[in-house]
Amino acid sequence: MSKSKHKHHKHRYALPSPGSSPGTVYIDENSLAPHINLYTYNEGYYKVEHIENIEGLKQRLTDKIYNYWVEIKGFNSLSMFDTLTKDWNINKLILEDITRTYQRPKYEEYGAYDFAISRMLFLDEENVLENEQLSFILTSNVLFTFQDKYADCLDPIRNRLEIGKGNIRIGGSSYLMYALMDMIIDEYFAVLGNWSEQLDLIEDRLFEKPDKSIMFDTQLIKRNLITLRRVAWPERDKMNDILRTDSPLIGESTKVYLRDAYDHCIQIIDMVESLKEISASNIDMYLSIISNRMNEIMKVLTIISSIFIPLTFIAGIYGMNFSREDPITGKILPQNMPELYQEHGYLYTMIVMGLIAVVQVIYFWRKGWFK
Amino acid sequence: MSKSKHKHHKHRYALPSPGSSPGTVYIDENSLAPHINLYTYNEGYYKVEHIENIEGLKQRLTDKIYNYWVEIKGFNSLSMFDTLTKDWNINKLILEDITRTYQRPKYEEYGAYDFAISRMLFLDEENVLENEQLSFILTSNVLFTFQDKYADCLDPIRNRLEIGKGNIRIGGSSYLMYALMDMIIDEYFAVLGNWSEQLDLIEDRLFEKPDKSIMFDTQLIKRNLITLRRVAWPERDKMNDILRTDSPLIGESTKVYLRDAYDHCIQIIDMVESLKEISASNIDMYLSIISNRMNEIMKVLTIISSIFIPLTFIAGIYGMNFSREDPITGKILPQNMPELYQEHGYLYTMIVMGLIAVVQVIYFWRKGWFK
Amino acid sequence: MSKSKHKHHKHRYALPSPGSSPGTVYIDENSLAPHINLYTYNEGYYKVEHIENIEGLKQRLTDKIYNYWVEIKGFNSLSMFDTLTKDWNINKLILEDITRTYQRPKYEEYGAYDFAISRMLFLDEENVLENEQLSFILTSNVLFTFQDKYADCLDPIRNRLEIGKGNIRIGGSSYLMYALMDMIIDEYFAVLGNWSEQLDLIEDRLFEKPDKSIMFDTQLIKRNLITLRRVAWPERDKMNDILRTDSPLIGESTKVYLRDAYDHCIQIIDMVESLKEISASNIDMYLSIISNRMNEIMKVLTIISSIFIPLTFIAGIYGMNFSREDPITGKILPQNMPELYQEHGYLYTMIVMGLIAVVQVIYFWRKGWFK
Amino acid sequence: MSKSKHKHHKHRYALPSPGSSPGTVYIDENSLAPHINLYTYNEGYYKVEHIENIEGLKQRLTDKIYNYWVEIKGFNSLSMFDTLTKDWNINKLILEDITRTYQRPKYEEYGAYDFAISRMLFLDEENVLENEQLSFILTSNVLFTFQDKYADCLDPIRNRLEIGKGNIRIGGSSYLMYALMDMIIDEYFAVLGNWSEQLDLIEDRLFEKPDKSIMFDTQLIKRNLITLRRVAWPERDKMNDILRTDSPLIGESTKVYLRDAYDHCIQIIDMVESLKEISASNIDMYLSIISNRMNEIMKVLTIISSIFIPLTFIAGIYGMNFSREDPITGKILPQNMPELYQEHGYLYTMIVMGLIAVVQVIYFWRKGWFK
Amino acid sequence: MSKSKHKHHKHRYALPSPGSSPGTVYIDENSLAPHINLYTYNEGYYKVEHIENIEGLKQRLTDKIYNYWVEIKGFNSLSMFDTLTKDWNINKLILEDITRTYQRPKYEEYGAYDFAISRMLFLDEENVLENEQLSFILTSNVLFTFQDKYADCLDPIRNRLEIGKGNIRIGGSSYLMYALMDMIIDEYFAVLGNWSEQLDLIEDRLFEKPDKSIMFDTQLIKRNLITLRRVAWPERDKMNDILRTDSPLIGESTKVYLRDAYDHCIQIIDMVESLKEISASNIDMYLSIISNRMNEIMKVLTIISSIFIPLTFIAGIYGMNFSREDPITGKILPQNMPELYQEHGYLYTMIVMGLIAVVQVIYFWRKGWFK
């Protein structure tokens, strides 16, 4: 893995400050300024406008022939949340959930409105997994969405809304909420497809040139899979909750589609489990490759050492300087290392060495070490 | 594993294009042209005809004394799916499920018709696992099946239908659907039998000549088992759903057989789990064999090195050139390395070396390293 | 493990031939000829007779003061199964289940008769695990049993029936069925006891002389445990089904005993899980022993090499032939390797070598390598 | 682990003899002679007497103002069990369960009496885990307990009964049964506390001097934990069964205490799981320590070998005897190995060798091998 | 890990003394003297006073316009617990649960009061995990809390109570109990955040300089995670119990907040599971790094040895002293090792050695050992 890929997203979660009063809206110094769009649409009409704040908005959204989508990006405005409490009577615990963006997917009914959370997982341009929260407040004809970053993966829905293709302008606010949720789940498939391909590439590398980046790359994917699984299970439960609710805000015709989205969640979970098993199997294979390679290395060392160390010893023997002076002539007498002075001593020695080497080679061959 | 076996099926899934409208029929450039057969049969009658398209087919299939099987292979015809919507009133989400061939097995009731999905798993001629989707639409006397490839594993059913053996022409459309589903499950047994035999062969190799292909081959089977398990569990749930439905389209007499098929699913799951455990146990054994082999290699190296390195050192000592010139005669005096000039120095040295070697051999013998 | 132990039971399962019609009796060329015994008994009466075939048997078994056990071993007679269909009205799917001997334990009610399957697991004379199917058809006073091999583990029941000890002749047909099932479960305990002892022996070997057969032997037991577990779980479910049924064919007095057998199943499952964990723990210990042994080997090699390689180098230095001719006399001058010609050069060198060795020994001692 | 600790309890279970009639009392040659105590007590009265046998006992235990505890240790008396059947009408299957002491904890109602089993786990004086069965038969005012060994962990209860402290003489027979069961569960805590301390000591050794006994000791504890878990789960189920029963023999006031005992069971299970995870983590750490140590050893070997082997080679070169005779004078000419006869050849060689060594040391330093 | 971190908390649990009577208050010699605060508050009023003992307190706490919080720290006063039994009629088993501080989180209703247990997990100043028990007794307007240490993590709640911010003075006693429980759960998030950061740091070290402290540090966190998980699961169940109770002591308005706390528990469990998987993945990566490093070390050794050992052998050959005296002249004849006396023998030998080295380097290069 290149070093550049190895970045954590520090401070992933806006954790609760221990002891703060429940229902406290959480805005820190890094919160983005709110950026609000109002979509007004029905089967034959479509208008999007940028608005500054949502004060007094409730009075404007009363025309029942339209559906409205209030899209809020960035939370840095306490007054905005106050308006939600005052004008729309939204529970403070919900506002805390919206602004503390570490929530699990869930769906809750509050009578006049429903509240839901989805988590957008998508790969940014550097292939790092983004994990953002999208919160929904659904009333009879108005859908609010909340996200704390400007970037998301929802443009296809905005396009479909503008073009008016399919059911999207007809199905009412609950259908729009479904469409956004389904879009997010579809994005999970895209992300999984990307990782699946990466795992295939890693597998190819396992066969061709396994190196230690395999371990790092696989672990990175495995970790991302853990993140996705952590989202997919409660997402499935959420879908099930919406399917089974008798909230009047969820249109019956929408439920057929929700069943489809529910099936998608199950497929996501299936794929995550499969990819996790494939990751584990890649890691197992990699570790067995390392072990095998170690065996290879040790075999080379052992063969070379086992052959040449004894031979070197023999050469060392005949390099010794044992000798004896003739007490009379002072000449060196050969009788002490007689082999040295035999006519074919050198030849015989070389033959013995060759035999030793051949025997060892045969021995290692038999043991299958050359295969 | 031979390299040729190592092929992924790239783009295994026709993943949803994120953001496309739900209920969109998915046809890509590789889709095959539709190839449609119409089987008309009852207890005493059997006719199969190739038809060009299904337009106007509904009017032909009204004679209640016959049952009809409309077999559709290849999806490259939008008009075909339009006809299904128009004439047969099939829900668009179903058509999407039929054409996006990554669905899990499932069974859904829609009143006038039931919808079901099976997954055909079979080994192609290169022993690579094929994973195709077979979708069913079941009305009171017409059964539609949909598959996107021409190859399948259903010929035995076509033969039984032609011959009229057993219940197949008598049991109605739901029995034919059962027969196809059961055929697919029987094929799982065949596939598992093949893998089971392969695992036996791998185990034999473990005992005879374990090499690194064992790891790759076992992992390949394990991965295939994961695929099969991913299919078998929802298949079981599907069978259970059909068993418990009160849909009038499923004949009571068929349900006895479905219970049998349900039992088969459970056996499949059992066998998959067993084979997975056997795979894991093969891998464990292989890894322990590698470790043992490493021990063997290291023992050889250590024994040889430990014996000869000290001996070589001794030989090296007596190969040193310490000497002293007699200041007067210029002759080399022996007193500096007196051993060299002793009468039996060479002999004694060889004896000492031999003793060192023998002591070491005994030491290693005692440690059990020669076993 | 001796090679002789390493035998697979090839073709363990009579797998369904894909595409055969459901309800087809399966007889292959290896099926044994049927061997049929008829036991007629009541509290005071016992008779066993060998009969040739079951045609016309129904008329004979009408005397309600007796109970009958028709014991069928070997399936190679299609007419026998036809008689079962014709005279006794047995469902064809049941006959398929009886003859395809890879079924899981189960219990099914069919009104006039109940159908059940047990699996006999026992060790043959070579300690290889046999896995046979015993099928039961229970009517009000006749019990049929079916097995495809002649060997089984049921002789104690036949003896008890002959002697008339305990409840066995009084309890009716359902009690006899219970007694056979309970016998089979008792045999599981015997098998587990055998494996438990083997695991104890393996553990002893772990402490005394661990070699690689430990791995093979343990894995063999583990695999057998997997087989037994695969049988024990559905066996427990079957017992539960029989306990909860309101079938009139199962006597109330028998149910007290069935509860006992159900408890035994749970104990079997418990013991299997424990033995599996003990196997895993033996394997873990064995692997750690291999690792430790590798450490031992490497320590020996490293100590010997580290001490002698530097010493050999020093010896090598003083074995070099650097010298200088006196330009005038042509004599070799000592000034180039002055150590060689110092009076105590050899002695000093030996001392230095000794010091190096001592320092290294102390170093390794400190590291704890001699322990 | 010292060898002495490595003792299996052979024949741990009195396994059923396959094929014996259900309800057969099991007494083998090692069974102890029965040792029977009769405790007669109420709030103000306490008497314990040793009795020879239980024949005719029923007539003595009719005074309703007392509660009775009949404590039976050792089973070697068939007549005793016959009396239980005859006088007290105890089901034979229960007597089999009492004497085959491998039963799981359970609770069963039989109308006139309740039957329960607990398992006493306690450490003997050698810290080996004992696993004994204590069976209870509870009637309205008599409690029977059965155990096949004389040793147990119930003395505190006997003391409390004698002293009359707390509820024990007031609560009736069901309270006494609860007290004994609770005592047994409390003993589980003591056992777990002991193992927990041992695991802490093992962990300390991991940090100070890890040797291979760590593996053995941890595995021993793990195995004991498996035994305890196997007891604790059914114990919890048993407690739950007693809590939910409407048997009149279990006093309502006792149930409050039973809820407490039930909570203790859950805590036991919790602690067992935690200790199992701690064991596993100790083993993982130990294995990583072995791997690290191997790395250390190999580093030493590699550094020493890599530095000195090349140097030895160089020394070897200059130890070669290449030379050339002057064809005329017969003198050895220096030109063939000119380095040998250069004025500073020796010095230069030593410098080159030093440089090689320094370069390698720097190389290994850079690689972090000296850390 | 620095040694200082490696401290167990010995005697973590006040385990029951086997055989003590149920309902016995447990006070050991280390118990702290009780330190009691009485908080009297309503929406507009707040007073905290230190009181010596709780005798006679009941009469003081009757004014229904106030809520009271009796905070008891330290248990070393038997009379205090007697007063609770006498004046407040608290069940003795509860008092045992309060003083034996190894209880799991739970919630129990006793009619006139409810009883609950939370476990405070927080990091002390040395980053060691503290695990304290906080017990609650809730009556209609009085909340008792019990803790056996003086230190806790509840100061933010005391501050909020003093300031009167949010709901805390209005919500009644059940809201205060909720606020304390929620505070404790929020602290879990803080602890998890700390560990998550530590795991990130460990991962950074894995990439930069992996050493063996990684293993120890990760295992330490893993163990702490096990502790937290053991608390979080029953905490979730407890929250669920409180949510579903119809006890009149739990205000309906409080339940909305409890649902929020319940969600937090689920998030805690989620995070614990994720962090456990991340720990496991760090350990896997570390082990693969060790293996890789071993490979690196062995490659260096093998390359150096394989190149130089054969070369040294060749040098050794030409260092042998084979020679032959001329029988007549006594001169050494060159024919026995003819290479030594060839004109370019030395040069040729050096070239051969160079070739051997080059061939080996190429061989190792091809094998990819230099990468």
Side-chain angles (χ1 to χ4, degrees), chain B residues 112-143:
Chain B
Y113 55 90
D114 290 354
F115 174 59
I117 289 174
S118 284
R119 298 207 68 84
M120 293 186 279
L121 298 185
F122 53 97
L123 300 174
D124 69 8
E125 60 282 355
E126 281 178 343
N127 260 340
V128 175
L129 187 67
E130 296 288 336
N131 182 350
E132 305 295 337
Q133 176 172 323
L134 184 70
S135 309
F136 301 87
I137 294 176
L138 174 71
T139 72
S140 59
N141 68 334
V142 183
L143 175 71

Side-chain angles (χ1 to χ4, degrees), chain B residues 156-157 160 165-168 175 178 182-183 186-187 189-190 192-193 196-197 199-201 203-204 206-208 256-257 259-260 263-264 266-267 270-271 273-274 277-282 284-285 287-289 291-292 294-296 298-299 301-302 305-307 309-310 312-314 316-325 329-330 336-339 360 363-364 367 369 371, chain C residues 1 3 6 8-13 15-24 91 93 96-97 102-104 106 108-110 209 211-212 215-216 219-220 222-223 226-227 229-230 234 276 283 286-287 289-291 293-298 300-301 304-305 308-309 311-316 318-321 331-334 339-347 349-350 353:
Chain B
I157 299 298
R160 264 163 58 199
K165 196 175 132 201
N167 231 349
I168 198 158
Y175 187 87
Y178 150 73
D182 191 53
M183 175 70 230
D186 278 1
E187 194 66 33
F189 279 105
L192 280 172
S196 169
E197 252 172 67
L199 282 175
D200 280 352
L201 291 177
E203 200 191 331
D204 288 342
L206 266 179
F207 280 81
E208 279 144 32
V256 179
Y257 292 95
R259 192 163 85 167
D260 203 53
D263 282 354
H264 288 173
I266 292 180
Q267 283 165 28
D270 262 17
M271 287 175 75
E273 296 305 326
S274 290
E277 296 205 57
I278 290 175
S279 307
S281 130
N282 275 359
D284 283 357
M285 259 201 277
L287 291 176
S288 92
I289 286 172
S291 288
N292 264 308
M294 180 73 101
N295 267 9
E296 292 302 309
M298 294 311 301
K299 270 192 223 165
L301 176 60
T302 301
S305 300
S306 299
I307 291 176
I309 286 179
T312 303
F313 164 64
I314 292 174
I317 286 186
Y318 294 115
M320 292 193 296
N321 298 320
F322 283 99
S323 55
R324 196 154 71 91
E325 277 181 297
T329 62
N336 263 5
M337 292 187 72
E339 307 94 309
Q360 292 201 55
Y363 175 77
F364 294 133
K367 284 211 150 185
W369 288 16
K371 266 171 270 183
Chain C
M1 202 182 71
K3 285 260 161 175
H6 172 236
H8 319 290
H9 290 269
K10 304 275 177 188
H11 308 300
R12 258 167 281 189
Y13 302 115
L15 291 173
S17 15
S20 69
S21 197
T24 308
N91 189 310
L93 287 169
E96 188 180 6
D97 280 355
Y102 58 91
Q103 308 297 319
R104 309 169 91 223
K106 65 176 171 182
E108 289 173 348
E109 297 170 52
Y110 287 83
K209 51 173 181 71
D211 58 16
K212 70 183 163 196
M215 195 74 191
F216 288 117
Q219 291 283 14
L220 190 75
K222 209 167 144 196
R223 227 178 246 210
I226 294 168
T227 304
R229 191 181 55 176
R230 231 172 95 195
K276 277 194 73 183
I283 288 173
Y286 174 61
L287 291 176
I289 286 172
I290 292 184
S291 288
R293 201 182 280 182
M294 180 74 101
N295 267 10
E296 292 302 308
I297 294 170
M298 294 311 300
V300 170
L301 176 60
I304 300 262
S305 300
F308 287 103
I309 287 178
L311 302 188
T312 304
F313 164 64
I314 293 174
Y318 294 116
M320 294 194 297
N321 298 319
K331 277 204 312 180
I332 291 167
L333 298 177
E339 307 94 310
L340 283 181
Y341 305 100
Q342 274 187 326
E343 187 163 358
H344 299 295
Y346 177 56
L347 187 67
T349 303
M350 295 308 280
M353 284 176 171

Side-chain angles (χ1 to χ4, degrees), chain E residues 92-356:
Chain E
K92 283 195 153 192
L93 287 169
I94 287 185
L95 300 182
E96 187 180 5
D97 280 355
I98 288 172
T99 51
R100 296 207 180 272
T101 58
Y102 58 91
Q103 309 297 320
R104 310 169 90 223
K106 64 178 173 183
Y107 168 72
E108 290 172 347
E109 296 170 53
Y110 288 81
Y113 55 90
D114 289 355
F115 174 59
I117 289 174
S118 284
R119 297 206 70 83
M120 294 186 278
L121 298 184
F122 54 96
L123 299 173
D124 69 9
E125 60 283 357
E126 280 178 343
N127 259 341
V128 175
L129 187 67
E130 296 288 335
N131 182 352
E132 305 295 337
Q133 175 173 325
L134 186 69
S135 310
F136 301 88
I137 294 176
L138 174 71
T139 71
S140 58
N141 69 334
V142 183
L143 176 72
F144 289 88
T145 64
F146 301 86
Q147 61 194 86
D148 67 339
K149 298 279 173 58
Y150 298 154
D152 60 30
C153 59
L154 304 172
D155 281 337
I157 299 297
R158 295 189 189 99
N159 292 341
R160 264 163 58 199
L161 194 62
E162 185 169 358
I163 301 169
K165 194 176 137 202
N167 232 349
I168 197 156
R169 284 206 212 151
I170 313 163
S173 289
S174 69
Y175 187 87
L176 179 61
M177 184 175 81
Y178 150 74
L180 289 162
M181 287 176 175
D182 192 53
M183 176 69 229
I184 286 169
I185 295 171
D186 279 2
E187 194 66 34
Y188 298 168
F189 280 105
V191 167
L192 280 172
N194 181 300
W195 292 336
S196 169
E197 250 171 68
Q198 282 188 45
L199 282 175
D200 281 352
L201 291 177
I202 287 172
E203 201 191 331
D204 288 342
R205 272 154 59 196
L206 265 180
F207 280 82
E208 278 143 35
K209 52 174 177 72
D211 58 17
K212 70 185 162 191
S213 69
I214 282 175
M215 195 74 192
F216 287 116
D217 292 357
T218 310
Q219 290 283 14
L220 191 75
I221 291 175
K222 209 166 142 198
R223 229 177 245 207
N224 283 336
L225 287 168
I226 293 168
T227 305
L228 180 45
R229 191 183 53 175
R230 231 172 95 195
V231 170
W233 279 99
E235 182 72 29
R236 195 199 64 157
D237 294 345
K238 180 185 85 178
M239 284 299 170
N240 201 26
D241 287 350
I242 308 183
L243 267 173
R244 296 179 175 220
T245 187
D246 46 9
S247 160
L249 300 171
I250 308 291
E252 269 319 300
S253 61
T254 303
K255 286 202 179 175
V256 179
Y257 291 95
L258 282 165
R259 191 161 87 168
D260 203 53
Y262 176 79
D263 282 354
H264 288 174
C265 285
I266 292 179
Q267 282 164 29
I268 290 288
I269 290 169
D270 263 17
M271 285 175 77
V272 167
E273 295 305 327
S274 291
L275 290 184
K276 276 195 72 180
E277 296 206 56
I278 289 175
S279 307
S281 131
N282 275 0
I283 287 173
D284 282 357
M285 256 200 279
Y286 173 62
L287 291 176
S288 93
I289 286 171
I290 291 185
S291 287
N292 264 308
R293 200 183 280 179
M294 180 73 100
N295 267 10
E296 292 302 309
I297 293 170
M298 293 312 301
K299 269 193 224 164
V300 170
L301 177 59
T302 301
I303 290 172
I304 301 264
S305 300
S306 299
I307 291 176
F308 287 104
I309 286 179
L311 302 187
T312 303
F313 165 64
I314 293 174
I317 285 186
Y318 294 116
M320 291 193 298
N321 298 320
F322 284 98
S323 56
R324 198 155 72 93
E325 279 179 297
D326 186 301
I328 297 151
T329 61
K331 280 208 307 187
I332 290 168
L333 298 177
Q335 62 265 50
N336 264 5
M337 293 188 69
E339 308 94 309
L340 284 181
Y341 304 99
Q342 276 188 324
E343 190 163 357
H344 299 296
Y346 177 56
L347 187 66
Y348 293 162
T349 303
M350 295 308 281
I351 289 171
V352 166
M353 284 176 170
L355 283 176
I356 288 173

